[in-house]
C-alpha cells in the first residue's frame, strides 16, 4: 500500500529515513528548497551587486545547484548569475556532460562560460594520463580544475563560486581529511566565509542535502542532467569512503548530518589553529599561492 505524506494526505513519493517522514511531491520540494535557502543564508550575505558563478559539470548536483540559484536569485535584479564549466578533456565523458550543461543554461538563460585544460595548460586530462603514471588522475584533475575555475572566475569578476557538493560528498571529504590527518585541508573545506585576496570564496548550497534527494529533486522537476561516470573514478580513493559512510548511514541514520554538524562545531577552532596563509603571486603564472610556485605550475613542470 502506498504510504501517505506525513504532512498532508497525498500519496508519499519518498521516505526520509533520517527523520522518519514520508513526503508527497509538493512537500518534498518544499522541504528541499527550504534547506537550500537556509544554507545559502548561513554561508554568507548575498550583497547587492553580487556576481555568483556556478561550477557546472552537467551532472545532477551542479545542475540542481544552478536551477536552485536561478530560482532564488531571479527576483533579485542586483545579483548576476553565471555558469562556468571546466572541460578537462575526458573523451566520451566530459563532451557529453557539457552538451547538457549548454542546453540547460540556454533554457534558463544563464550566461555560460567554458574553460578547457587544453587551451589553459596545453594538455587534455587524457593526454596527461597517457604521459604520467606518477600521481593519480584525480590529483592532476583537481589541481588544474581549481586553477581553471579561479582563472575564469577572476576574469568574470565573480564574488562567489557555488559548487554542487551534496551531503554525501561533503561528509566524505570531512572523514577523508580526518583519516589522513590533514587538518589544514579540513580547515579550508569551505564554505568560505572570509574573503582572501586573489581567491574566490566557495559556497556549497547542497552540502546538507543527501545525494539521493538531489537526484529525486532533479527527476520530479524534469531537470535534465548527465549521469555518466568518469572513466578514471574507479581509481579514486573516495569510493571506499563512500561505501563506509553508506554503511554507517544505514546502521545509524543521520550519520552524515552529524559529521557535518561536528565539523561546523570545530571549524572556528580549526581556522584559528590554521589561519589562512599569506598568499604570494606564483612566480610563473601569477595565480595566488602560499608557496613561490603554485601547485598547477609545479605539476605542469613535472609533466614537461
Ligand atoms: S573522477 Fe577524478 S579524473 Fe574524473 S572528473 Fe573526477 S577528479 Fe577528474
Ligand atoms: Zn504532503
Ligand atoms: Zn602558477
Amino acid at each position: 500500500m502506498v504510504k501517505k505524506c506525513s504532512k498532508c494526505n497525498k500519496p508519499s513519493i519518498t521516505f526520509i529515513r533520517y527523520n522518519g517522514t514520508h513526503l508527497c511531491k509538493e512537500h518534498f520540494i518544499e522541504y528541499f528548497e527550504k534547506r537550500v535557502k537556509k544554507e545559502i543564508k548561513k554561508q554568507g550575505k548575498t550583497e547587492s551587486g553580487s556576481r555568483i558563478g556556478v561550477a557546472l559539470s552537467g551532472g545532477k548536483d551542479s545542475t540542481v545547484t544552478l536551477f536552485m540559484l536561478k530560482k532564488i536569485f531571479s527576483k533579485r535584479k542586483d545579483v548576476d548569475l553565471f555558469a562556468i564549466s571546466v572541460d578537462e578533456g575526458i573523451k566520451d565523458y566530459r563532451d557529453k556532460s557539457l552538451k547538457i550543461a549548454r542546453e540547460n543554461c540556454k533554457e534558463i538563460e544563464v550566461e555560460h562560460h567554458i574553460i578547457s585544460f587544453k587551451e589553459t595548460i596545453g594538455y587534455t586530462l587524457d593526454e596527461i594520463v597517457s604521459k604520467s603514471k606518477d600521481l593519480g588522475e584525480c590529483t592532476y584533475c583537481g589541481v588544474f580544475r581549481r586553477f581553471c575555475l579561479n582563472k575564469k572566475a577572476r576574469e568574470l569578476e565573480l564574488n562567489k563560486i557555488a559548487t554542487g557538493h551534496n551531503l554525501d560528498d561533503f561528509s566524505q571529504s570531512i572523514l577523508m581529511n580526518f583519516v589522513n590527518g590533514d587538518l589544514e585541508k579540513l580547515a579550508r573545506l569551505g564554505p568560505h566565509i572570509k574573503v582572501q585576496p586573489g581567491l574566490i570564496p566557495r559556497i556549497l548550497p547542497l552540502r546538507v542535502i543527501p545525494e539521493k534527494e538531489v537526484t529525486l529533486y532533479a527527476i520530479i522537476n524534469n531537470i535534465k542532467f548527465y549521469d555518466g561516470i568518469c572513466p578514471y573514478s574507479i581509481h579514486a580513493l573516495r569510493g571506499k569512503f563512500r561505501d563506509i559512510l553508506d554503511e554507517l548511514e544505514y546502521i545509524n541514520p543521520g550519520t552524515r548530518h552529524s559529521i557535518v554538524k561536528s565539523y561546523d562545531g570545530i571549524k572556528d577552532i580549526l581556522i584559528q589553529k590554521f589561519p589562512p596563509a599569506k598568499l604570494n603571486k606564483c612566480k610563473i603564472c601569477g595565480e595566488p599561492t602560499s608557496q613561490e610556485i603554485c601547485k598547477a605550475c609545479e605539476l605542469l613542470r613535472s609533466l614537461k
Side-chain angles (χ1 to χ4, degrees):
M1 207 183 82
V2 180
K3 293 265 186 217
K4 292 257 163 68
C5 172
S6 311
K7 299 203 165 191
C8 68
N9 251 342
K10 289 194 191 134
S12 136
I13 59 158
T14 187
F15 175 55
I16 310 288
R17 228 173 137 247
Y18 56 83
N19 66 14
T21 53
H22 293 273
L23 294 174
C24 69
K25 184 177 166 185
E26 286 74 21
H27 280 115
F28 171 71
I29 292 176
E30 184 190 271
Y31 175 59
F32 186 100
E33 294 182 350
K34 213 163 102 188
R35 281 172 302 159
V36 177
K37 282 181 196 156
K38 194 172 156 204
E39 225 4 79
I40 293 175
K41 273 210 187 105
K42 196 172 152 191
Q43 295 183 20
K45 198 165 180 282
T46 306
E47 314 271 358
S48 179
S50 286
R51 293 166 68 83
I52 306 175
V54 176
L56 181 68
S57 68
K60 62 178 186 325
D61 303 302
S62 61
T63 306
V64 167
T65 303
L66 178 73
F67 275 72
M68 275 306 298
L69 291 193
K70 175 76 185 182
K71 194 166 184 177
I72 292 169
F73 293 117
S74 59
K75 286 178 217 92
R76 282 195 54 179
K77 296 278 171 268
D78 59 340
V79 174
D80 288 320
L81 193 62
F82 300 84
I84 307 176
S85 299
V86 178
D87 180 2
E88 302 94 341
I90 306 173
K91 203 171 170 294
D92 283 335
Y93 169 68
R94 188 55 78 219
D95 33 356
K96 290 181 182 160
S97 75
L98 286 182
K99 185 173 172 283
I100 294 180
R102 253 186 240 110
E103 289 166 2
N104 277 325
C105 288
K106 204 169 157 204
E107 185 193 321
I108 60 169
E109 297 176 350
V110 170
E111 195 177 305
H112 187 206
H113 296 262
I114 298 180
I115 175 164
S116 74
F117 274 20
K118 184 75 181 176
E119 276 172 30
T120 315
I121 58 159
Y123 305 103
T124 64
L125 189 66
D126 289 337
E127 286 166 353
I128 294 171
V129 172
S130 67
K131 271 169 90 72
S132 170
K133 297 271 174 287
D134 299 354
L135 298 165
E137 298 87 352
C138 301
T139 303
Y140 291 103
C141 188
V143 170
F144 293 136
R145 186 178 332 107
R146 256 191 310 280
F147 179 83
C148 288
L149 207 55
N150 251 320
K151 187 169 184 291
K152 184 51 88 183
R154 230 161 338 97
E155 274 171 35
L156 292 169
E157 298 180 351
L158 303 183
N159 322 86
K160 282 178 191 175
I161 298 177
T163 65
H165 295 95
N166 59 44
L167 177 65
D168 299 52
D169 303 325
F170 195 61
S171 51
Q172 282 157 25
S173 299
I174 295 168
L175 198 62
M176 278 171 80
N177 285 313
F178 254 117
V179 171
N180 294 333
D182 201 343
L183 294 183
E184 190 155 6
K185 209 162 160 197
L186 195 64
R188 312 259 171 277
L189 267 192
H192 304 136
I193 311 284
K194 288 215 176 77
V195 182
Q196 258 194 296
L199 285 183
I200 293 133
R202 303 285 198 267
I203 56 166
L204 300 84
L206 305 184
R207 71 168 197 149
V208 291
I209 315 282
E211 181 169 10
K212 198 181 122 200
E213 292 176 35
V214 179
T215 310
L216 182 62
Y217 183 86
I219 292 170
I220 58 181
N221 285 290
N222 290 318
I223 296 173
K224 276 182 278 142
F225 61 87
Y226 179 65
D227 65 354
I229 295 169
C230 172
Y232 303 122
S233 68
I234 42 162
H235 301 145
L237 177 67
R238 183 172 280 273
K240 298 264 183 307
F241 282 87
R242 169 185 298 266
D243 296 344
I244 292 166
L245 262 183
D246 284 352
E247 199 181 328
L248 278 176
E249 181 71 32
Y250 184 75
I251 304 167
N252 181 30
T255 295
R256 293 164 302 181
H257 287 93
S258 303
I259 291 176
V260 173
K261 202 169 156 222
S262 302
Y263 174 65
D264 285 352
I266 58 165
K267 193 165 178 189
D268 286 347
I269 302 166
L270 278 172
I271 293 176
Q272 262 175 34
K273 192 163 163 57
F274 302 100
K278 201 182 152 296
L279 295 178
N280 314 307
K281 282 195 166 181
C282 167
K283 287 208 163 128
I284 300 175
C285 71
E287 285 289 310
T289 173
S290 55
Q291 312 294 318
E292 292 217 320
I293 291 168
C294 77
K295 194 86 193 145
C297 287
E298 199 185 291
L299 285 185
L300 255 184
R301 263 213 307 221
S302 73
L303 283 172
K304 279 174 185 155

